[in-house]
Amino acid sequence: MQNPTPPVATIIPTTHTIHGDTRTDNYRWLQDKTSADVIAYLDAENAYTKSVMEPTEALQKTLYDEMLGRIQETDLSVPYKYGDWLYYVRTEEGKQYPIYCRTKSTDATEEITLDVNALAEGEKFMSVGAYAISDDGNLLAYTTDNTGFREYTLRIKNLKTGELLPDVIEKVDGVSWAADNKTLFYTAEDETKRPHKIYRYAIGSPVIGGGGGTLIYEEPDALYRAFAYRSRDKQFLFVGSVSSTTTEFHYLERDNPAGELTMILPREENHEYYVEHREGLFYLRTNRDAPTFKLIATPVSAPEPLHWSEVLPYRPTVGLEDFDLFTGHLVTTEQADGLPQLRVLEFSTGDEHTVTFPEPTYTVSGDTNREYDTATFRFRYSSLVTPPSVFDYELSTRERTLLKETPVLAGWDRLMYVTERVFATAADGTKVPISLVRHKDTALNGSASGVLYGYGSYGISMPAVFRSSIFSLLDRGMVYAIAHIRGGGEYGKPWHDAAKLMVKINTFTDFITCADFLVEQGRVDREKLAIMGGSAGGLLMGAVVNMRPDVARACLSYVPFVDVINTMLDDTLPLTVGEYLEWGNPNDPAAYAYMMSYSPYDQLDAKPYPTMLIKTSLNDSQVMYWEPAKYVAKLRTLKTDSNPFLLHCNMDAGHGGASGRYDALHEAAFDYAFLITQLGGKP
């Protein structure tokens, strides 16, 4: 790569004192999104990155063509039944966005319910949030975001006539229909984007100032987020309020959408429960006396613990993650030995079994299961070498039917690749799983290049999911690996609790352990290793390169949460207050000191750093663009090496990057060109 002169950000010191510590932020001015100087700086960074990457443009085109060549551009999803209709989504060659459709049967005339390509005309970004059909199939409530800021607008479409109704409501987070087919319940956001109010809205009611309807629930505590959903049997609307450690639920009966909410169980600190309904019983997934959760049933009229009956007991080594209720069966999604599994219980017999899967590392989850009266469960399965596959599973006979495996074109052959699961041992003896995939001809003699991906926050598991794009790396002799580090959810809630708040350091040291393990075991060459993560995984990247700048040759960081202290001190920002329970509240001196010890922006130092590509988006509502922008500006003044250090800001997108599928492929080709060039991948 050539190395033109990078931009230099103006230094304008801003000071702030907290807990006796005077903090100086030289780049706070970059937080003014309306400033022409800020936009000019971001444009200059983009121009610099483009200039540095210019020699890779031919490689980028090759990679784009490879990735596109594996995709069946004109395709459709497996239809699912809801009411009298079969619903599905299809794509057309050359079009960026999906088309939502339905038909009365497999050979009937198709109806297009929502063409996202039409919605996107004239827009630089388009994303559909809610997509909710009324029970009679006549009305569609949907929400769209055309900036990337995840600020959604609700519209109602008459599916019988195709017309849009005049009802338009702004800043809607979620939507549920009442059984009368004319009443909606929607969730509204506050100024920090926290969902905090639930409204009942009759179609055709006045909309004033972007809102409308009757307020039925408000959550005043900034630690909590409100939401609503219907039970699968359509008997209840549930209104939930959740923090990351505590929950509370209310309900409305389907026959009384205008009624008053009834509480199920009042919130109790550190008690999490989640509710569904079947035949007069509430089923609760609860962590009361059950750190990995258990499942109980209780009468609707008497939900207190005194009346609980155990359905699935607490199992210390199995995390109960979710559950689905049907007329005759219960299906649970669980984490066991760091892998997902499905468990089935037949109510009439009490028989239980676990659905097994053949590969050493994989991901599985329930697909669309809208019908309550069914003995078939639809699930989605994939692995690092198995494309996304949709199965129907007969819950009584245990027969599974493959409905569709996503096609992978261009002569792709799964037999050319090898996937495995290995374990690195942390300093405290904890075994940390790593999922890997490589071309079968890639030698494990310490000479291979590789990419190690990590996240490790919020109790979110990083699934070993199929990505057709990574084969452009594997075919060039690279190893792709996922570190399932603490802070995630691979072993249930205890795995999360082991690396948050005042033990967050475990996330970072686990990742370093995994990187060292891959090198020590001869699976990759340290000088050809890149690390990669996004959002909270970008925090991981920033902390790791501060702690061990020699851990890898290159780092690719997406929308990284790197300005931890400044962001968590600003309670006007989206997410901040609710995330005190994940990171800590820096207004507390002990939490401040601990968070300071790893905050990437605050811990930057004068030393060599890996080659880095930092990516962000101007309209990101989850991690504001200025965090990576300030991080890059500060590190440029400190790093003692000559390695390229690049910032790219998408000026028309949000947290997830480009919304169009072809645009997203171009972004992936850019990123992979960076990795291949830095790591010396094969042509």
Side-chain angles (χ1 to χ4, degrees):
M1 291 184 180
Q2 58 185 4
N3 193 18
T5 303
V8 176
T10 304
I11 293 176
I12 305 177
T14 301
T15 59
H16 171 67
T17 301
I18 182 170
H19 308 312
D21 181 16
T22 299
R23 299 171 50 77
T24 300
D25 188 350
N26 290 330
Y27 304 103
R28 188 174 180 81
W29 65 273
L30 284 170
Q31 297 182 197
D32 184 1
K33 186 178 178 179
T34 65
S35 166
D37 289 340
V38 170
I39 300 302
Y41 174 75
L42 295 174
D43 285 340
E45 286 285 3
N46 284 344
Y48 170 67
T49 296
K50 178 178 173 61
S51 178
V52 172
M53 291 291 290
E54 187 175 1
T56 74
E57 288 180 355
L59 175 58
Q60 290 179 46
K61 183 179 186 310
T62 297
L63 290 166
Y64 175 84
D65 290 343
E66 287 177 10
M67 295 175 190
L68 183 60
R70 296 189 195 99
I71 296 173
Q72 184 165 295
E73 297 178 69
T74 298
D75 201 0
L76 57 85
S77 67
V78 177
Y80 65 88
K81 187 176 185 300
Y82 185 57
D84 296 331
W85 297 86
L86 294 172
Y87 290 86
Y88 58 95
V89 178
R90 62 180 175 84
T91 55
E92 293 182 2
E93 183 175 350
K95 293 187 177 181
Q96 292 264 29
Y97 296 98
I99 303 168
Y100 292 79
C101 307
R102 69 179 184 177
T103 181
K104 277 288 179 75
S105 67
T106 55
D107 58 355
T109 302
E110 175 184 271
E111 289 187 15
I112 294 176
T113 59
L114 196 65
D115 185 348
V116 186
N117 298 284
L119 297 177
E121 289 181 6
E123 306 286 355
K124 295 180 178 179
F125 185 95
M126 179 54 62
S127 175
V128 173
Y131 176 90
I133 304 285
S134 60
D135 288 355
D136 61 10
N138 292 335
L139 296 176
L140 165 65
Y142 68 94
T143 62
T144 57
D145 165 28
N146 63 359
T147 68
F149 197 66
R150 297 188 180 181
E151 198 164 82
Y152 289 89
T153 299
L154 172 66
R155 300 298 305 263
I156 314 294
K157 184 177 181 180
N158 185 326
L159 295 179
K160 296 179 71 174
T161 66
E163 68 173 328
L164 280 178
L165 303 188
D167 315 71
V168 180
I169 302 177
E170 307 290 343
K171 298 184 179 180
V172 171
D173 192 74
V175 176
S176 296
W177 284 99
D180 62 6
N181 300 303
K182 61 184 181 182
T183 304
L184 274 175
F185 297 93
Y186 73 86
T187 310
E189 296 180 337
D190 67 11
E191 62 278 1
T192 68
K193 293 190 61 58
R194 179 179 69 94
H196 72 307
K197 291 181 178 180
I198 310 292
Y199 286 89
R200 178 175 50 239
Y201 176 75
I203 304 303
S205 298
V207 176
I208 302 172
T214 302
L215 179 67
I216 67 167
Y217 182 81
E218 181 174 7
E219 175 51 69
D221 191 330
L223 285 174
Y224 289 78
R225 301 164 66 87
F227 62 99
Y229 64 97
R230 288 178 69 186
S231 58
R232 181 176 277 111
D233 65 3
K234 303 180 184 177
Q235 297 302 307
F236 291 92
L237 175 86
F238 294 116
V239 171
S241 193
V242 305
S243 74
S244 63
T245 60
T246 305
T247 69
E248 179 180 86
F249 283 85
H250 295 73
Y251 67 88
L252 275 177
E253 296 181 6
R254 72 170 266 144
D255 296 331
N256 189 23
E260 297 293 323
L261 289 170
T262 301
M263 183 181 291
I264 298 177
L265 291 172
R267 68 189 65 178
E268 180 182 342
E269 192 66 27
N270 295 316
H271 180 212
E272 294 181 63
Y273 71 94
Y274 304 88
V275 60
E276 248 290 358
H277 174 264
R278 176 183 175 272
E279 296 187 359
L281 297 174
F282 284 147
Y283 285 72
L284 305 183
R285 183 174 72 92
T286 170
N287 69 346
R288 183 188 292 274
D289 302 319
T292 60
F293 289 88
K294 63 185 177 183
L295 189 69
I296 65 93
T298 189
V300 170
S301 59
E304 299 81 12
L306 177 65
H307 306 286
W308 287 6
S309 60
E310 197 169 77
V311 180
L312 286 178
Y314 161 56
R315 293 155 292 168
T317 60
V318 178
L320 177 58
E321 300 293 300
D322 201 359
F323 67 102
D324 292 279
L325 289 173
F326 304 97
T327 49
H329 296 85
L330 162 74
V331 180
T332 61
T333 303
E334 303 174 344
Q335 289 289 143
D337 193 28
L339 291 170
Q341 67 180 25
L342 302 175
R343 181 184 295 267
V344 178
L345 168 66
E346 188 164 3
F347 287 113
S348 63
T349 64
D351 290 343
E352 292 183 43
H353 69 272
T354 300
V355 184
T356 59
F357 301 98
E359 296 180 272
T361 182
Y362 60 87
T363 184
V364 65
S365 61
D367 200 60
T368 305
N369 291 281
R370 297 297 302 271
E371 295 294 300
Y372 172 65
D373 187 8
T374 180
T376 302
F377 182 75
R378 181 167 293 178
F379 68 83
R380 180 175 294 266
Y381 174 91
S382 77
S383 77
L384 294 171
V385 297
T386 300
S389 306
V390 177
F391 290 85
D392 269 355
Y393 186 79
E394 298 303 320
L395 296 171
S396 295
T397 66
R398 308 187 186 186
E399 179 182 357
R400 71 183 78 183
T401 302
L402 175 63
L403 303 178
K404 179 178 180 178
E405 180 179 279
T406 300
V408 185
L409 309 180
W412 178 83
D413 180 359
R414 79 187 67 199
L415 297 179
M416 298 300 293
Y417 307 94
V418 178
T419 183
E420 58 182 325
R421 185 173 185 240
V422 296
F423 293 84
T425 304
D428 62 2
T430 300
K431 300 292 185 182
V432 182
I434 307 172
S435 298
L436 300 98
V437 63
R438 59 180 171 84
H439 194 283
K440 69 182 184 65
D441 293 336
T442 298
L444 300 181
N445 59 7
S447 65
S449 53
V451 176
L452 178 63
Y453 179 87
Y455 187 76
S457 291
Y458 304 111
I460 297 174
S461 300
M462 281 296 103
V465 66
F466 185 87
R467 302 182 189 279
S468 64
S469 60
I470 68 168
F471 295 96
S472 289
L473 300 179
L474 305 185
D475 290 346
R476 288 170 171 82
M478 299 175 72
V479 175
Y480 181 82
I482 303 168
H484 302 287
I485 50 185
R486 282 176 285 183
E490 283 79 357
Y491 289 90
K493 188 172 176 59
W495 197 248
H496 176 209
D497 292 343
K500 70 173 188 177
L501 296 173
M502 304 297 277
V503 288
K504 185 60 192 174
I505 192 74
N506 287 335
T507 298
F508 316 136
T509 55
D510 278 3
F511 188 84
I512 292 170
T513 294
C514 290
D516 289 343
F517 174 85
L518 294 178
V519 173
E520 292 161 2
Q521 294 294 308
R523 296 175 183 275
V524 296
D525 181 348
R526 175 91 66 190
E527 293 303 312
K528 299 178 184 177
L529 175 63
I531 57 175
M532 183 166 66
S535 195
L539 162 63
L540 170 68
M541 296 297 102
V544 164
V545 298
N546 278 336
M547 295 169 66
R548 278 279 305 278
D550 65 332
V551 73
R553 175 181 176 83
C555 175
L556 177 51
S557 187
Y558 297 96
V559 291
F561 173 41
V562 284
D563 192 11
V564 176
I565 298 295
N566 286 325
T567 290
M568 295 303 292
L569 283 171
D570 188 349
D571 61 11
T572 68
L573 292 175
L575 305 182
T576 291
V577 175
E579 299 206 353
Y580 289 161
L581 300 176
E582 178 74 20
W583 312 106
N585 182 349
N587 292 293
D588 171 66
Y592 173 83
Y594 189 80
M595 296 163 75
M596 271 290 294
S597 72
Y598 66 76
S599 174
Y601 184 61
D602 294 287
Q603 293 301 318
L604 292 173
D605 201 2
K607 58 189 174 188
Y609 280 84
T611 298
M612 299 178 73
L613 171 59
I614 314 290
K615 303 196 73 177
T616 188
S617 295
L618 185 64
N619 298 324
D620 193 340
S621 63
Q622 309 299 107
V623 179
M624 299 299 177
Y625 73 89
W626 62 69
E627 293 202 35
K630 290 166 58 178
Y631 176 84
V632 167
K634 182 176 180 179
L635 186 50
R636 285 238 177 85
T637 69
L638 293 171
K639 64 196 289 287
T640 60
D641 57 84
S642 58
N643 294 328
F645 189 48
L646 309 178
L647 173 69
H648 182 266
C649 181
N650 187 322
M651 307 299 279
D652 301 304
H655 197 61
S659 58
R661 59 176 179 157
Y662 297 109
D663 293 340
L665 280 182
H666 279 295
E667 289 190 343
F670 182 93
D671 300 345
Y672 285 11
F674 168 80
L675 293 173
I676 291 167
T677 304
Q678 286 300 312
L679 305 182
K682 298 176 183 177

